[in-house]
Amino acid sequence: MIALSLADISAATLAVSLLLYLLLDGTDLGVGMLLFCFRDADSRRRLTATILPIWDANETWLVLLAGGMLALFPLAYSSLFSAIYLPLFIMLLALVLRAVALEYRGHVAPRWHRTLDNLHQLSSLVAAFMQGALAGLVVGNQTQAGPFAWLTLYPALCGFGLIAAYLLCGCCWIQWRVRGPEIRLAHHLAWLFLVLSLSLLTAINLLDSRALLQAWQRPPGRIALLLMLLTLAGLLFAMARRRPVLALMLSLSLITLCWGLLIIGLYPWLLPGRLTIQQAAAAPATQLFLLGGYALILPVTLAYNSWAFWVFRARVR
């Protein structure tokens, strides 16, 4: 029972790290992709300025996730890495290029700004798609289907669905953080990306509804579905009344509930159909040691994220 309890806690810790990455850096990636829709230099400057001070802190959660997976679930880490190395490498390369585009924009001549902005938006798009496709490979149990399985229908739909969700969060972020003409376009785009997100979410579950059906058979899954409907109704109200902060919080809550519903449907599998949480977990002593470290690191990381948001809370003009 102690090993089982430790394994569940370890898996929950990694799930929280991944969720926080999706919420925080996902919004940044959404803003980066939205550069496609804002062509003038001043608008791009404002959009970039909203995420420049915080993007690196948001990526800390991805580092914690990777390190935690290696230490807490080494068997799952080795199985996944050997099976998804190509899309994982593409995603990491895209994140590096996004960092280059962001950090160097303020240190080069203006004639290079458009080139770096194009790199920023393309790398954000690729990173977002790859993250969704990787999730589709794992959830759809296609990690052994070959190096290009991420281009098949289910992972690709997951990739496009995550892109739409990130873009929705990015639109809400812009309405909150920017003081300028970009707010109007971001408001209209938010409706488009909400419809796209819901349509793609429906298509994904129609294509493979095993996790959803399993979640529905469990009381927490029914509660999560009910909360999703209530959150969606609140999001529609917030968007109609043009309340960007509330809309952003509800968009992030909707992603959180989708993530929670997926976990409820997949439990106790870590790699569906292959490895359960208990089978993939490290030794109890290793888990205790690592969880003690996480207990110190997680509050510090959360405090650092909160401090960065507070310092740069002013709207960008």
Side-chain angles (χ1 to χ4, degrees):
M1 291 300 293
I2 295 177
L4 176 63
S5 176
L6 282 175
D8 288 337
I9 294 172
S10 298
T13 302
L14 296 184
V16 169
S17 298
L18 179 55
L19 175 62
L20 287 171
Y21 173 78
L22 293 175
L23 299 181
L24 297 173
D25 202 46
T27 302
D28 295 346
L29 291 171
V31 174
M33 289 185 285
L34 283 168
L35 293 176
F36 278 115
C37 304
F38 296 90
R39 309 306 300 175
D40 63 286
D42 204 40
S43 293
R44 290 185 165 196
R45 176 191 63 79
R46 279 193 284 264
L47 264 61
T48 303
T50 64
I51 62 174
L52 183 59
I54 59 174
W55 73 268
D56 52 349
N58 294 339
E59 282 198 353
T60 305
W61 297 104
L62 187 60
V63 177
L64 289 176
L65 172 67
M69 176 66 78
L70 173 61
L72 293 170
F73 297 96
L75 185 57
Y77 184 92
S78 60
S79 299
L80 275 178
F81 187 79
S82 61
I84 60 173
Y85 64 90
L86 181 58
L88 183 63
F89 172 78
I90 296 173
M91 184 201 77
L92 294 175
L93 178 61
L95 291 175
V96 169
L97 293 176
R98 191 271 299 261
V100 170
L102 272 169
E103 293 296 334
Y104 277 88
R105 194 181 192 277
H107 302 282
V108 298
R111 68 178 182 273
W112 290 101
H113 286 177
R114 183 165 292 276
T115 300
L116 290 176
D117 288 341
N118 291 337
L119 179 62
H120 183 188
Q121 60 197 17
L122 181 61
S123 58
S124 297
L125 180 66
V126 171
F129 175 80
M130 287 301 171
Q131 289 171 11
L134 286 168
L137 285 174
V138 175
V139 174
N141 195 19
Q142 299 182 36
T143 54
Q144 301 297 317
F148 295 100
W150 50 278
L151 293 174
T152 57
L153 182 57
Y154 185 78
L157 278 178
C158 292
F160 290 124
L162 193 61
I163 286 174
Y166 283 174
L167 286 167
L168 172 62
C169 294
C171 288
C172 297
W173 173 267
I174 290 170
Q175 294 178 73
W176 172 36
R177 297 288 288 112
V178 173
R179 189 186 299 275
E182 298 80 15
I183 294 177
R184 181 178 179 84
L185 178 57
H187 172 73
H188 293 303
L189 288 173
W191 287 103
L192 170 64
F193 295 131
L194 175 60
V195 173
L196 282 175
S197 298
L198 295 176
S199 300
L200 287 166
L201 180 62
T202 302
I204 289 167
N205 282 286
L206 287 175
L207 196 61
D208 188 348
S209 58
R210 288 173 294 179
L212 180 63
L213 293 176
Q214 183 67 24
W216 177 252
Q217 297 173 10
R218 298 169 173 173
R222 298 192 188 100
I223 295 173
L225 281 170
L226 176 60
L227 290 176
M228 284 179 64
L229 293 176
L230 294 175
T231 302
L232 179 59
L235 177 58
L236 293 172
F237 171 82
M239 291 173 61
R241 293 298 182 93
R242 299 202 176 200
R243 298 181 179 178
V245 178
L246 180 60
L248 178 61
M249 294 299 103
L250 291 172
S251 298
L252 297 176
S253 298
L254 204 56
I255 293 175
T256 302
L257 289 168
C258 288
W259 178 238
L261 192 66
L262 181 62
I263 291 176
I264 294 169
L266 292 179
Y267 183 82
W269 294 102
L270 189 62
L271 297 182
R274 294 175 56 199
L275 283 174
T276 65
I277 293 173
Q278 287 71 32
Q279 290 171 343
T286 302
Q287 293 182 68
L288 280 173
F289 178 78
L290 265 295
L291 288 174
Y294 261 91
L296 297 175
I297 293 173
L298 288 181
V300 172
T301 308
L302 282 171
Y304 176 60
N305 270 116
S306 302
W307 177 79
F309 276 106
W310 175 256
V311 171
F312 298 101
R313 66 188 181 278
R315 299 178 71 178
V316 177
R317 299 177 180 271

